[in-house]
Structure formats: C-alpha cells, structure tokens
Amino acid sequence: MRWCKFHPILCSGARGLLGGISFLILALLVTGVPSLASAQSSSDSTDWVQVRLHHGTDVESVRLTPKRTSLSVLLPSGDPPILRLKRDETVTLGRRQGDVYARRGNANLYARSLRLAPSSGGSWMLSLPSESTRTYTGRLTLRPADSSTGLQLVNRVPLQDYVASVVAAEYGLDDRSGTRAMAVVARTYALFSTKHFDGDYDHVDGTASQVYRGKDVITEDARRAARETQGQILTYDGAPIQAVYFSSSGGHTASNEEVWTDSPSLPYLRGKEDPYDEASPKHRWTTRINRRALLQALSLHHGTSVEGFLLGDRTPNGRLATIEVLFSDDGRTEMEASTFRSIVNERVDGGTLKSTWFDARRDGPDYVLTGRGHGHGVGLNQWGAHAMAEQGRSYREILSFYYSGVQIQQLDETSPLPAVAQDPPSPPADSTAPRIGW
C-alpha cells in the first residue's frame, strides 16, 4: 500500500525517500518501541513547565541528539512511536510549508506536529546552525511557527530542572541563602506568572519570561537550592504571588504600579528603602549614548522624525515614569519610561540603559546618562539578596524583606491565582521638565 494515502504522515514525493519511510516504520512496528507513558510517567501539571526555546529566533532547522538513553518520535495522537533514536544518533528537524519533518538518513517523516520524548531520565542536545549546542531534559514538541519558514520548539521540562537552570542563569552569585531565595522565586514565577502565549506554552527562554538555558548551565549550588526548597512557593493571603525580580535597586525598590501603569497595586510589591544594595556594582552608573543613534531609534519607533525628549514625571522614589518625545514638526507625545529604556537597549548599538532611574544631559554628539540600579526595581533585588546572605540572613528573611506580607507555602496548600485588574491611566507629564535633544 501507499503509506501517504493511509497514514497521517505526509511522505516525500521522492521515490527513494518513500521507500525509506515504509521500511523504517515497518521495522519499528515489528520490533516495538516503549510507549511515551513509560517514558514520561508524571501527569501532575505542577511537575512540568512548557518553555518555548530560542524565542525571538527564526529557527528553520535544528539537529537533535539523545544522550545516555534512546528517544521516541511520536505523532500528536500518541502511541505507537513512528521513529526511535538510539543514544548519540542524530535527527534533523525542520519545516516544509505547513508541516514539520524529522529527517534521518534518507527518510523524511512529515506531520503537522511531532513530539520527541527520551526514555526516563534522559536528556538530548539541540544544535542550531548558527548557535552553540544546548542540552535539555523532558520532551520536545515541534510545530510550525507563525512565520512562513520557522519552527516552534517547546520543551516540556521537569519543574526542578527548570528552576535549577533559571537560578544558575539568573542569579549566579556565590551564597546559599540568596540562591535558595531565588529558587523559591523562580518556582513561583514559573507556575503562576505565565503569560499564556496562545496556550501553546507557559514561558519563553529569554528575558520576556525567565532566562532558561537547559541542563548544562546548572551548577551544584543551583541544583541544591532547587532541591532544598522543593515545592515551596510564595503566597499572599493563601494565593500565589506575581514573583517578579531584578538585579539592583539603586537604594530603593519600586511599587509595581509605578513601573507598570496598567497593573493593579499589589500589597506585596511595595517600594521601600533598600540598604542592602550599596555593595552592588550597579548601585550607581554612568553611560554615554550616541545622540543621532538614539533619535533615529525613537523616530523609527514613532514613525516620524524625532529631535529630542523631555524627562517627564517621576515616581516618589525617583524613577522616571514617563518620557515626552519631541517631534521635528513641533508635535510631541508621551511614552512610558520603560518603553524608552527598551528602545535604547534593543535598537541603539552600544546603548545601555540599566534602569529608568536616571538624569540626562547633552555632551557634544552624545547624551550622558547617570543613574542608579539595574532592572525595573519591583520585587526581589538579587544583589540585595546576596548582601543579606553575606550578612547571615536566611532565605526566608530575604523573601520577607523584598515581598511584603508573604508566606512560604507548599504547592498543595495554595488556592488559585486571582484575576488581574486594570489600573487607571498615568497622569500627564510635567511640561516644565528639562528638554533633552538639541
């Protein structure tokens, strides 16, 4: 029979490849392959996190190699597997029109989506043509991405592995209490701060969620912190919190609605004096940004020529809430200071704006910005946590300082996350603010 006609896989039109597929699948059906159920035994959703890998990259093809154990390739419908890879055997994964494919030797397997699951406890390497190889645990789901040629790679990773990887990538400071505090924060964020990316995954692997780089980055300290705090999350009035965090406060943390003006005021995310930040290398900073490059970036963002900007309203602790952008035709518009910061960091070559707590002045062809802290300033201050740990404070004391009125509870003791309301719009910027731009 013709496999293309009777099987949901779409076969290659090449005669030789068709023969390779038929022979391969027949061999699999005869020899048998362990089921996915035996490879992935846990059904508890809090034991796993779904993370999109290489988010922001137009991935056209990758090479996957199982390590230490075999790996099964399955259709969305589940068993039986249609392909089994032995240890250290490589398969190429890619995209053809509306399908994805797995290519091994002269066999191409096409489907709307594929799942790749290692045997229990196994890991696998994923290699992109232009990037370094990373190693992951859990399983991988392969789908077409929104772009016409790209792949969507989603790693269903065990929660403990994910937490340890995030702690290693996001914290990386040498202490025990701060590392444990970060593990509780990362776990809480992983399970209850998902952005619901169209329902296909919970998080991405970059700073839009938490930085996740797989298994190989995990240190022994990070692994121990995840293990010693296993199942612990942060709650307020019995409900999990939005466990946001940042690098350095500059001496004062921020309340959440001061930074994200469309969010409700949350009682556990209150700004406060932060004496533990003084040892941070980012406590005070100065940076130079090319004026022409910044104005070009602002012009591109707004779709019209920009000649300068005003420093707008500030929060009570000193961070800028707004920036007023000045157009060449004498018009103007207000933008959030956090958006201004993102434009500098993402679109200006060599530009670095560590926080929205800054002043600015013109110096020839450059702007000179002097500021405090690194990051948005809401929640846990990582350098502050490190300083508290160095002073002998416990991870519970660290968490209680940076999140007001919270409790540390086990997952099975918590209630569902409450709905998020909307905050009223920000007040207009002060028109008397100093003008920056000429």
Side-chain angles (χ1 to χ4, degrees), residues 62 93-94 100-102 111-116 140-144 151-154:
V62 294
L93 307 173
V100 296
Y101 66 78
R112 293 297 182 187
S113 66
L114 292 170
R115 286 186 295 159
L116 297 93
L140 178 71
T141 298
L142 183 71
R143 306 184 187 94
L151 295 172
Q152 183 189 103
L153 305 164
V154 178

Side-chain angles (χ1 to χ4, degrees), residues 102-122:
R103 176 182 298 148
R104 188 183 69 172
N106 68 342
N108 283 325
L109 307 179
Y110 294 97
R112 293 297 182 187
S113 66
L114 292 170
R115 286 186 295 159
L116 297 93
S119 299
S120 181

Side-chain angles (χ1 to χ4, degrees), residues 216-239:
D216 287 347
V217 302
I218 298 175
T219 63
E220 182 54 39
D221 287 343
R223 179 74 72 186
R224 182 175 60 246
R227 182 176 62 250
E228 291 176 344
T229 63
Q230 185 167 358
Q232 294 180 2
I233 60 169
L234 290 168
T235 66
Y236 184 88
D237 282 346

Side-chain angles (χ1 to χ4, degrees), residues 6-42:
F6 298 103
H7 197 277
I9 300 176
L10 302 178
C11 300
S12 168
R15 185 180 183 89
L17 294 181
L18 177 60
I21 293 171
S22 301
F23 177 82
L24 172 63
I25 295 180
L26 178 61
L28 290 172
L29 293 176
V30 170
T31 59
V33 179
S35 69
L36 178 63
S38 64
Q40 309 287 356
S41 60
S42 175

Side-chain angles (χ1 to χ4, degrees), residues 204-217:
V204 297
D205 62 355
T207 56
S209 294
Q210 302 186 102
V211 176
Y212 167 63
R213 294 292 181 262
K215 179 182 178 181
D216 287 347
V217 302

